[in-house]
Amino acid sequence: MIPVERHQQILALVAERGVVSISELTERLGVSHMTIRRDVQKLEEQGAVLSVSGGVRTADRLAAEPSHLAKSAMYNDEKRAIGLLAAQHIPRHSCIYLDAGTTTLALARQLTERDDLLVVTNDFEIANLLIDSSGCRVIHTGGIVCRENRSCVGHAAAAALRHLAIDIAFISASCWGPRGIFTPDEDKVTVKQTVSEVSSKRVLLSDSSKYNKIATWLALPLATFDVIITDSQLSATAKENVSKGNGELLLAG
């Protein structure tokens, strides 16, 4: 059986069952564990399935980005803990980037007593908070306005970032997994990629509820990040997968 035929059978079984063990796949397809793991890795790279401990399951796909209002009501304790931990890693007189999102907004709330930072952001809520409640200098990127997410995206936002030298970029994710961070909005990709290029250090901020989900666009590989900060609810299997060949993993809460 050629690889394409195996892939089709794996996808058919996963679609029927939801989760299928590696052992069952090796028995059904008559090949080694190593062959099945290579097949699963290939399908995972295509966004068709996701690996779990001892098996494979259907991929949870994010079709559209929730609005800022919707996200602001979700996982607030986890976001607060992530923001608190992230704030402890910002040296004085740094130039930092805060990506659009409610987890980065939670970090911004921890910076209201700071007056030594230059904060670059594409998020209107973050900019307004820091303008009104902190002594930080603030640069907003501008760009195409995304009303529902209270932020700017697209090539104009990315162009503003190319002229800067940022010490630490705190980057958000619509969803993430071992491959990297994903978004259903293509206009966000160029912003995230550009800020990763102009920053000396890249930190992913995302709660564990977004882990092992995918969306249409892979914005950045997970290995891009020097540090990954999430909450303590991340599963043991996820911790193991995230730690392989990636940056330092920090758990908040």
Side-chain angles (χ1 to χ4, degrees):
M1 186 182 298
I2 64 174
V4 171
E5 293 174 324
R6 290 198 307 272
H7 295 174
Q8 290 173 343
Q9 291 206 27
I10 291 170
L11 289 174
L13 280 168
V14 172
E16 178 185 345
R17 304 273 193 83
V19 179
V20 183
S21 70
I22 297 296
S23 296
E24 181 177 353
L25 290 173
T26 59
E27 185 177 341
R28 290 283 293 267
L29 300 179
V31 293
S32 68
H33 275 69
M34 187 64 69
T35 297
I36 290 296
R37 291 192 182 279
R38 283 197 298 266
D39 289 340
V40 168
Q41 181 179 5
K42 185 69 174 178
L43 290 170
E44 190 168 25
E45 289 172 357
Q46 297 169 2
V49 299
L50 288 171
S51 297
V52 295
S53 180
V56 60
R57 69 171 176 83
T58 53
D60 292 336
R61 181 172 288 275
L62 182 67
E65 181 79 18
S67 69
H68 174 86
L69 182 62
K71 290 188 292 186
S72 65
M74 301 163 61
Y75 302 102
N76 286 326
D77 289 343
E78 289 83 356
K79 293 172 184 176
R80 191 177 301 109
I82 291 169
L84 181 61
L85 180 57
Q88 297 169 11
H89 290 77
I90 303 176
R92 286 186 58 79
H93 305 295
S94 296
C95 174
I96 67 171
Y97 173 76
L98 298 184
D99 203 8
T102 51
T103 307
T104 43
L105 178 58
L107 169 55
R109 291 191 177 109
Q110 300 297 326
L111 305 178
T112 55
E113 300 300 319
R114 302 282 294 261
D115 61 3
D116 59 294
L117 302 174
L118 172 58
V119 181
V120 183
T121 186
N122 63 334
D123 188 295
F124 289 111
E125 298 291 337
I126 290 173
N128 289 336
L129 171 71
L130 295 177
I131 289 168
D132 293 339
S133 305
S134 82
C136 299
R137 291 185 294 155
V138 179
I139 296 175
H140 195 285
T141 63
I144 298 171
V145 175
C146 179
R147 286 183 173 87
E148 286 199 341
N149 282 290
R150 310 293 298 166
S151 65
C152 284
V153 295
H155 291 286
L161 292 167
R162 290 192 184 97
H163 299 289
L164 301 173
I166 294 170
D167 296 313
I168 311 173
F170 293 95
I171 300 175
S172 62
S174 301
C175 47
W176 62 292
R179 281 185 67 196
I181 66 171
F182 294 85
T183 174
D185 186 349
E186 184 181 7
D187 285 335
K188 292 184 177 182
V189 174
T190 186
V191 177
K192 294 179 189 295
Q193 291 179 345
T194 300
V195 77
S196 75
E197 292 167 5
V198 302
S199 300
S200 299
K201 185 176 183 179
R202 291 150 293 275
V203 180
L204 172 61
L205 299 186
S206 188
D207 69 78
S208 62
S209 73
K210 297 178 180 179
Y211 182 77
N212 241 357
K213 297 178 181 178
I214 61 170
T216 302
W217 303 99
L218 174 63
L220 290 167
L222 206 60
T224 302
F225 296 96
D226 303 287
V227 181
I228 299 163
I229 303 180
T230 186
D231 61 80
S232 58
Q233 300 304 308
L234 193 70
S235 71
T237 300
K239 291 175 193 174
E240 182 180 353
N241 289 337
V242 169
S243 297
K244 291 177 182 176
N246 298 308
E248 181 183 11
L249 176 64
L250 300 179
L251 301 178

